[in-house]
Amino acid sequence: MSTTENAGGRTSPRNRLRRMRNAVSTMIATAVLVVSVGVVSGPAFADDYPSWEDVKNAQSSETAKNEEVARIQGLIESMNAQVAEAQAVAMQRGTEYQAAQEKYDTADFVAAQLEAQAAEASGRADASNKQAGQLAAQFARTGGNDLTFNLLVGGDQFSNDLLYQLSAMSKLTEKTSQIYAQAEQDRNTATALTAQATVARDELRGLADEAQRLRDEAVAAQQAAEAALQEQEDHQVELQAQLQVLKENRAATEADYQKGVESRAAAARAAAAAGLPTLPFIAASGWASPFPGSFSSDEYGMRVNPVDGGYRLHSGIDLVYGGGTCGAYVYAAAEGLVNFAGWNGGYGNFIQIDHGGGVATAYGHNTQLLVGNGDYVQVGQPISLAGTTGNSTGCHLHFEVRQNGTAINPRPFMAAQGIEFG
């Protein structure tokens, strides 16, 4: 069996397995997924993986060989099942987080609109009161004095001018009353809108807290799924190789296997280096376009969602190319720390990058992610391939900018950084 630590100081498969199992257990304790077949079960891995010495020893008899084959097949099946369950939890938590974030974004946008409308109504009320006051002052200075003078001195022109002056005064009084009435109406409107905005703002704190809680759970679930997948990738190839050796009843050692691993790794590194795209234009501000050369197919703001018909905030801008949008590289708009990379409900495969100072960018509907949670990325670094995952009607990049957790219009923000969208 495998020992705790290899001679070269590397952590053994047993310890790596124990760490992964702890991570998966933590994830399941944090986010329990109820699906149509029931509740996600705990880790089902065996306590250890077979060593190449175990494989060699098992070849001593047909019975031992068959038992080892069955054990390895069971490990592979358990590993695949655990990965699938962990990924299902991650997708569910990501969907819940996206719904909570969307609810917060829409409520925040509506509250801001109410506050702006209240301020506008209050401004109109102040202007109306000022205008009415000016008319009243004018009446006091002119109309009232003239009428008093005519009543005192009489004269031939009194009868001719009196009706005109009375008519003018009546119209002036009527106009002043109308302005005061409009001012009162605007003031009442401002008060009502302010009250609505206050209620909306009071609800936002709870919505923001819920979105943050679900984001944390989604990140934990995604990390656990990644750990399970990494464990699978680390061991499935070796298990399959051991299984093949047993079935073919041939001699093979761990050294033989490692030679193949190193050869495949070198080929993968060479292929990855050859496939790196050219970095896009980077502005003097240190920002770059996330989708250089693209144009907008949908802007930031309230809209009827094209997928489900709901009326809510479209919290970003949708970017497309004239052709070949799906599979095109998406770039980090600025350097920063990836604080979410995984499934995010309607956003599909989603990435969010924290750039510091309360500013973050987000990238949705990707077909493939090239970075993971906790990665530090450079400006212009390829982070994903664009796609149409989640609630999407076609290939595009959904790009967001957030300030202190609140979605803002990306177009003016990016323009201030020297990046324009078509």
Side-chain angles (χ1 to χ4, degrees):
M1 294 294 188
S2 301
T3 57
T4 302
E5 187 171 318
N6 295 332
R10 293 179 298 161
T11 304
S12 71
R14 177 182 296 173
N15 280 349
R16 289 200 300 273
L17 174 59
R18 187 179 297 114
R19 287 201 302 270
M20 190 279 292
R21 291 169 64 190
N22 289 340
V24 173
S25 298
T26 300
M27 173 271 293
I28 292 174
T30 304
V32 177
L33 173 64
V34 179
V35 292
S36 59
V37 297
V39 181
V40 172
S41 59
F45 291 105
D47 290 336
D48 211 343
Y49 292 110
S51 69
W52 284 93
E53 188 67 24
D54 294 332
V55 172
K56 180 181 177 181
N57 293 336
Q59 290 177 314
S60 61
S61 72
E62 191 67 19
T63 300
K65 184 181 73 172
N66 291 337
E67 289 177 352
E68 195 68 10
V69 166
R71 186 162 80 93
I72 292 175
Q73 289 174 332
L75 279 170
I76 292 173
E77 290 173 3
S78 296
M79 203 157 32
N80 291 341
Q82 192 64 64
V83 168
E85 291 180 56
Q87 289 175 332
V89 171
M91 290 187 70
Q92 178 67 16
R93 290 295 168 262
T95 298
E96 293 168 354
Y97 162 52
Q98 185 268 330
Q101 184 67 67
E102 188 174 63
K103 188 175 181 180
Y104 167 80
D105 289 340
T106 299
D108 181 74
F109 186 86
V110 170
Q113 282 189 319
L114 288 170
E115 289 167 344
Q117 292 168 6
E120 182 181 352
S122 181
R124 289 197 308 267
D126 290 342
S128 295
N129 277 327
K130 182 178 180 181
Q131 183 182 9
Q134 290 173 339
L135 288 175
Q138 180 182 356
F139 169 69
R141 289 195 307 270
T142 59
N145 291 337
D146 290 345
L147 180 59
T148 301
F149 176 76
N150 283 327
L151 287 171
L152 289 173
V153 302
D156 294 337
Q157 291 187 336
F158 175 72
S159 60
N160 295 329
D161 294 343
L162 179 58
L163 290 177
Y164 171 77
Q165 291 185 49
L166 288 173
S167 175
M169 287 171 56
S170 176
K171 290 180 179 179
L172 183 62
T173 302
E174 181 182 359
K175 180 65 175 176
T176 304
S177 298
Q178 289 174 349
I179 294 173
Y180 272 125
Q182 183 62 51
E184 183 65 18
Q185 181 179 334
D186 288 337
R187 183 68 65 196
N188 291 338
T189 299
T191 301
L193 288 170
T194 299
Q196 292 177 47
T198 299
V199 171
R201 286 291 177 198
D202 289 343
E203 293 177 350
L204 279 178
R205 184 67 265 162
L207 292 175
D209 290 344
E210 178 67 1
Q212 181 63 41
R213 181 184 70 80
L214 290 171
R215 190 194 79 83
D216 292 343
E217 288 189 5
V219 169
Q222 182 63 32
Q223 289 173 334
E226 290 169 359
L229 184 60
Q230 186 62 55
E231 187 73 10
Q232 181 194 53
E233 291 173 351
D234 286 347
H235 295 285
Q236 183 146 307
V237 173
E238 185 171 11
L239 289 172
Q240 292 286 5
Q242 292 171 335
L243 190 61
Q244 186 175 2
V245 166
L246 284 168
K247 287 182 175 180
E248 295 176 359
N249 201 27
R250 59 183 173 83
T253 66
E254 185 173 5
D256 297 329
Y257 171 74
Q258 288 299 332
K259 286 180 182 178
V261 170
E262 291 166 5
S263 176
R264 288 190 295 272
R269 285 193 297 270
L276 287 177
T278 304
L279 293 180
F281 164 78
I282 299 175
S285 63
W287 286 69
S289 173
F291 221 39
S294 63
F295 61 90
S296 168
S297 63
D298 203 353
E299 293 288 321
Y300 170 91
M302 295 296 291
R303 69 168 186 179
V304 175
N305 187 279
V307 176
D308 60 22
Y311 185 68
R312 53 184 177 271
L313 179 68
H314 181 233
S315 53
I317 185 172
D318 291 343
L319 301 174
V320 299
Y321 291 124
T325 298
C326 267
Y329 280 104
V330 176
Y331 301 90
E335 69 172 307
L337 182 70
V338 177
N339 61 18
F340 189 92
W343 185 262
N344 191 13
Y347 287 129
N349 293 321
F350 180 83
I351 293 173
Q352 182 166 291
I353 303 174
D354 182 0
H355 304 291
V359 177
T361 54
Y363 314 74
H365 304 304
N366 302 282
T367 190
Q368 181 181 346
L369 304 184
L370 304 179
V371 296
N373 288 294
D375 287 350
Y376 194 86
V377 297
Q378 300 298 323
V379 57
Q381 177 179 332
I383 57 173
S384 64
L385 302 180
T388 183
T389 56
N391 292 341
S392 171
T393 57
C395 295
H396 68 283
L397 168 67
H398 174 84
F399 175 68
E400 293 182 358
V401 176
R402 293 182 174 272
Q403 285 188 325
N404 299 317
T406 298
I408 63 173
N409 191 338
R411 187 177 285 278
F413 177 90
M414 292 298 286
Q417 314 308 318
I419 305 297
E420 299 286 348
F421 295 122

